[in-house]
């Protein structure tokens, strides 16, 4: 029994030796590739974190300096929106769009929000941008574009706000029944009491 055991161990040892002789180079290359991939992943994560930190600091700096009567500050934030294709660029587009709205420059406000949509994949941030964009498109007398923008709003949290805006847009098109239906949908959704009361008041105007 002992002889059998020793022979078996020798056989297993030979098998292991033969395996590494045949595959040792491939295993070594695989290990190198694995280590390189891990190092590359860590470098990419650190790079992303550093970029995000730099974007955050730059965003804070530019928004603090932003003044509606200072064209240079507006241009600087606009350049940031075009260059920083991330959530901070999207947030900057919202800030810059508000500045243009305050200046009654709706076409540029629309342009900034369209750019902002391209900068972030965050569903909630995109929803906020689209809601504001739909309002501006309605003011620009392009209600069909505004309705398309609302159709792309995702997330149950935004259903009520989107319904309120949709009702206003449909009413501007003369579609009173469509507007009333939108507000009824909005009232049924999870919205603030103030917004629910506002939509109810709009509905009461039809009765």
């Amino acid at each position: 029994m002992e002889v059998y055991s020793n022979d078996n161990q020798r056989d297993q040892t030979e098998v292991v030796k033969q395996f590494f002789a045949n595959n040792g180079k491939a295993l070594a290359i695989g290990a190198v590739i694995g280590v390189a991939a891990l190092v590359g992943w860590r470098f990419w994560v650190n790079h992303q974190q550093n970029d995000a930190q730099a974007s955050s600091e730059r965003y804070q700096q530019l928004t603090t300096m932003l003044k509606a009567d200072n064209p240079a500050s507006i241009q600087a934030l606009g350049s940031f929106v075009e260059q920083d294709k991330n959530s901070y660029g999207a947030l900057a587009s919202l800030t810059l769009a508000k500045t243009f709205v305050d200046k009654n420059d709706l076409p540029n406000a629309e342009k900034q929000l369209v750019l902002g949509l391209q900068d972030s994949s965050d569903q909630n941030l995109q929803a906020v941008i689209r809601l504001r964009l739909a309002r501006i498109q309605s003011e620009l007398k392009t209600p069909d574009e505004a309705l398309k923008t609302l159709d792309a709003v995702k997330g149950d949290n935004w259903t009520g706000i989107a319904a309120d805006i949709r009702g206003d847009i449909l009413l501007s098109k003369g579609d009173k029944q469509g507007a009333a239906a939108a507000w009824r949908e909005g009232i049924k959704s999870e919205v603030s009491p103030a917004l629910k009361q506002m939509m109810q008041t709009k509905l009461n105007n039809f009765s």
Side-chain angles (χ1 to χ4, degrees), residues 12-41:
Q12 290 178 352
T13 302
E14 291 301 320
V15 169
V16 171
K17 286 181 179 179
Q18 188 64 37
F19 175 81
F20 278 102
N22 295 335
N23 301 283
K25 185 176 181 181
L27 289 172
I29 293 174
V32 170
I33 292 174
V35 171
L38 179 60
V39 171
W41 168 253

Side-chain angles (χ1 to χ4, degrees), residues 153-198:
V153 174
K154 306 298 182 184
D156 294 339
N157 293 335
W158 309 104
T159 300
I161 300 174
D164 179 46
I165 297 174
R166 186 182 301 277
D168 291 344
I169 295 171
L170 291 172
L171 184 61
S172 73
K173 294 183 65 175
D175 185 358
K176 292 184 178 181
Q177 290 185 345
W183 290 325
R184 289 192 189 97
E185 178 186 353
I187 291 171
K188 294 177 183 178
S189 65
E190 293 294 329
V191 295
S192 67
L195 181 55
K196 185 171 293 191
Q197 182 59 47
M198 183 185 299

Side-chain angles (χ1 to χ4, degrees), residues 65-186:
M65 296 170 54
L66 181 65
K67 296 185 183 299
D69 58 354
N70 185 343
S73 68
I74 293 176
Q75 183 178 1
L77 191 57
S79 296
F80 178 83
V81 172
E82 293 178 356
Q83 295 171 7
D84 281 60
K85 300 302 180 182
N86 52 40
S87 292
Y88 290 103
L91 288 170
S93 76
L94 282 166
T95 302
L96 199 53
K98 182 180 183 303
T99 301
F100 282 123
V101 169
D102 292 341
K103 291 165 63 70
N104 201 32
D105 187 352
L106 298 184
N108 266 323
E110 179 185 30
K111 176 184 175 182
Q112 291 302 320
L113 293 176
V114 170
L115 287 173
L117 282 175
Q118 302 169 9
D119 293 342
S120 176
S121 59
D122 183 85
Q123 181 173 291
N124 288 318
L125 184 52
Q126 284 197 347
V128 171
I129 293 174
R130 285 193 167 96
L131 291 170
R132 295 191 183 183
L133 179 58
R135 284 287 193 194
I136 290 173
Q137 289 171 332
S138 179
E139 291 293 325
L140 287 170
K141 310 302 181 186
T142 55
D144 291 334
E145 285 297 315
L147 291 172
K148 287 181 182 179
T149 298
L150 285 179
D151 287 340
V153 174
K154 306 298 182 184
D156 294 339
N157 293 335
W158 309 104
T159 300
I161 300 174
D164 179 46
I165 297 174
R166 186 182 301 277
D168 291 344
I169 295 171
L170 291 172
L171 184 61
S172 73
K173 294 183 65 175
D175 185 358
K176 292 184 178 181
Q177 290 185 345
W183 290 325
R184 289 192 189 97
E185 178 186 353

